[in-house]
């Protein structure tokens, strides 16, 4: 098994464990720059294993912290990333007796107060006059809904800019299921 090291700091919580269920409540602490303000996690193992919970957090993350949390290849495209904001999330996962995932649901929403990402190599797109070195966002809201058997939705809207240009408004919607992915982008360019 591939076990990832998790660095939790200044954690506090209240827990209760029974024969086939348990709860961790009043969760607070720091996970790689993700400041958890409140949350709870419950499990029930009476028939199948079901784990659900919610967390509310403040973000103050750089590239290294994001990589520790998400482990996504897209981060290799960036020399630096810095972001601040808030996020709230809920999750529900059900497993069978062999721990195969039967169903899952993950929902998150929040706001990015500021994000600045500097690319490792400037990007050039045919529809843009200049190369992009730095991508910035501010006052940006997001919503993510991921479900096993339903369409997955990612909505992001706010303000962006490339390099030293002025901030412009945008609205991005991404809807996808097993075979189809649809994008809708509206914005000032």
């Amino acid at each position: 098994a591939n076990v990832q090291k998790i660095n939790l700091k200044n954690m506090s919580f209240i827990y209760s464990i029974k024969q086939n269920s348990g709860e961790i409540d009043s969760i607070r602490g720091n996970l790689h720059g993700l400041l958890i303000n409140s949350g709870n996690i419950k499990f029930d193992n009476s028939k199948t294993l079901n784990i659900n919970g919610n967390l509310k957090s403040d973000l103050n993350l750089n590239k290294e912290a994001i990589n520790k949390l998400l482990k996504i290849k897209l981060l290799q495209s960036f020399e630096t990333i810095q972001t601040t904001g808030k996020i709230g999330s809920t999750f529900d996962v059900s497993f069978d007796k062999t721990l195969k995932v039967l169903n899952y649901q993950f929902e998150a929403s929040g706001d990015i107060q500021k994000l600045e990402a500097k690319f490792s190599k400037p990007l050039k797109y045919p529809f843009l006059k200049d190369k992009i070195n730095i991508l910035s966002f501010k006052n940006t809201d997001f919503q993510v809904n991921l479900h096993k058997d339903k369409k997955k939705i990612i909505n992001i809207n706010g303000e962006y800019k490339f390099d030293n240009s002025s901030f412009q408004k945008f609205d991005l919607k991404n809807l996808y299921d097993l075979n189809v992915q649809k994008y809708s982008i509206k914005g000032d360019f």
Side-chain angles (χ1 to χ4, degrees), residues 43-137:
F43 76 88
D44 184 343
N45 197 20
S46 53
K47 294 181 183 174
T48 60
L49 176 59
N50 187 48
I51 302 171
N52 62 60
N54 64 73
L55 297 170
K56 292 186 178 171
S57 305
D58 288 336
L59 304 173
N60 187 4
L61 304 172
N62 60 23
K63 180 182 173 181
E64 181 182 341
I66 294 169
N67 192 45
K68 287 179 182 178
L69 289 169
L70 300 177
K71 296 280 184 194
I72 54 177
K73 291 183 180 182
L74 177 64
L75 290 175
Q76 296 172 0
S77 302
F78 299 102
E79 183 178 318
T80 60
I81 299 176
Q82 183 67 43
T83 187
T84 57
K86 296 183 181 299
I87 184 172
S89 61
T90 61
F91 60 90
D92 193 345
V93 184
S94 299
F95 302 90
D96 70 8
K97 295 293 182 189
T98 66
L99 297 182
K100 177 184 172 188
V101 175
L102 296 173
N103 199 8
Y104 67 85
Q105 175 180 322
F106 174 78
E107 297 179 359
S109 62
D111 68 272
I112 298 170
Q113 295 160 352
K114 180 181 178 185
L115 182 145
E116 185 170 288
K118 182 177 181 183
F119 292 98
S120 300
K121 296 178 184 175
L123 298 179
K124 178 69 177 152
Y125 291 101
F127 54 88
L128 296 174
K129 185 173 80 172
D130 298 320
K131 291 181 180 180
I132 302 170
N133 294 296
I134 298 172
L135 173 63
S136 301
F137 294 96

Side-chain angles (χ1 to χ4, degrees), residues 86 108-113 137-144 154-159 170-172:
K86 296 183 181 299
S109 62
D111 68 272
I112 298 170
Q113 295 160 352
F137 294 96
K138 73 174 186 176
N139 305 325
T140 299
D141 296 324
F142 65 90
Q143 180 181 20
V144 177
I154 300 173
N155 295 330
I156 306 170
N157 65 64
E159 298 177 55
F170 79 100
D171 186 1
L172 169 73

